Amino acid sequence: MSPESGVLRTYLEWIADLPWSNQSEDNYNIKLAETILDEDHFDMKKPKERVLDFIAVHQLKESMKGPILCFVGPPGTGKTSLGRSVARALNREFIRISLGGVRDEAEIRGHRKTYVGALPGKILQSLKKAGTINPVFLLDEIDKMASDYKGDPSSALLEVLDPEQNSTFVDHYLELPYDLSKVMFITTANSAYSIPHPLRDRMEVIETPGYTDLEKEKIASSFIIPKQVKENGLEWADIKFRKSAILSIIRNYTMESGVRNLEREIAAVVRKVARKAVTEGYSSPEKIEDRPEIKKNFKITISAKNLHIFLGHEKFNGDLVYNQSSPGLVHGLAWTEMGGRLLPVEVALLKGTGKLILTGSLGDVMKESAQIGLSFIRSYHETFGIDADFQKEMDIHIHVPQGAIPKDGPSAGITLTSAMLSALTDQPIIANTAMTGEITLTGRVLPIGGVKEKVLAAYRNKMTTVLLPLENKKDIEELPVEVKSSITFIFASSVKEALLTLFPDTFPDYT
């Protein structure tokens, strides 16, 4: 009759129910695993290769610690579904918990059993559901955790995600060491910078960058369209999407790095097709055995010309692009969580007292880049053929259009410098050129991140030349062949090199 008996009974049931030695048999067939991964996801070479490497090593060494992987990339690139696919390829149980908004350390480690209604943390709860000690465990949105007075859950995860410590993980409720070393942990995040450094240090970060338009088209035709046709009960119909229609949806109805919105738009088209079929008196063969009046063999082809019937007017017109080059106008490249963007920069010279005016919702770092660029031009004024006191009687106004969108970061340094120099010398840069790179006061061009997304933005907007820092040359290897073949890349390690290329006829003596 003692209340303590209920507490002890629940505690002992938890100990008995947890998998202490039950282990699922792994799939050691690398070719089968590769087939499964390719069935579920297009491209994503790095994560797939890491899983296949794990299977190969597991064949050679039976007892090995489970890897701790972190898939980092924009929303909608298939990080979460890839975790499920990995479990299928390895023939393991799959469990997933979302860490978005978790702010209580007890969610991870559990409560002490002296509390009323105490339970183990989500780690042991999930392992009980899996029933094995070697599942694939997905910790979703690890960069969205918070902390407050109840504790810091990211600190509690340090023990869970450390192969050296997690073989003796102690939950507050269980108070017994539990072996997590055989679990394959996969975490997902949109940005690695939001993850606390000690936690990030314990994980192997694998980037899943955004897709190109042609990659999205292949994903749509191979994965999304067959899936949506099946989900909307139209397997019996002859539905064809022309390549032009898919590319039109990608470019004019969505703006993203992943394919989540693309799937929504395709689903909308397929639903309209289903409604059209039913309205015109068609139905699936199973439903018309005794009803000869219902039509069969429904056919439809969706092309770029009839797409507006299903989706209405175009939602996006692409990035803001100036087709004619003029002095003071330069196209930069920016990275956003939704992918790369073209970033036009405009410079106007006004009579004034030497002020530098910056507009367009710019952050502090970007404002500092403009100041560095101006100081560099002033220190080399003789080379550029500019009067030493040029700023005394004029104001320089720099504007980055689309002012409602906040912009920040150091990678616009070379863009701002080129735009100011173009306005001061009254010379446009070479046409159809986009650029990115951080600059220093002494004239060096430093490497930047997000090269793939930025170059894809240039490719999408029909830029023919892209200027990048020399140290980013290695990042070009990751680009698709069709992008590399249609863009001329210029690599510069100094501002001098960059300006000689951008103004080939203006500064012949600048050596």
Side-chain angles (χ1 to χ4, degrees), residues 1-15 113-119 173:
M1 297 297 290
S2 168
E4 189 69 20
S5 65
V7 174
L8 282 172
R9 181 187 176 92
T10 308
Y11 175 69
L12 292 170
E13 280 177 354
W14 267 103
I15 289 179
K113 59 179 179 290
T114 50
Y115 291 109
V116 176
L119 281 174
Y173 180 82

Side-chain angles (χ1 to χ4, degrees), residues 124-144:
L124 290 190
Q125 285 183 38
S126 302
L127 284 163
K128 179 189 169 186
K129 288 175 191 170
T132 59
I133 60 167
N134 66 334
V136 172
F137 200 135
L138 185 78
L139 299 165
D140 220 357
E141 309 291 358
I142 199 167
D143 57 330
K144 308 291 191 304

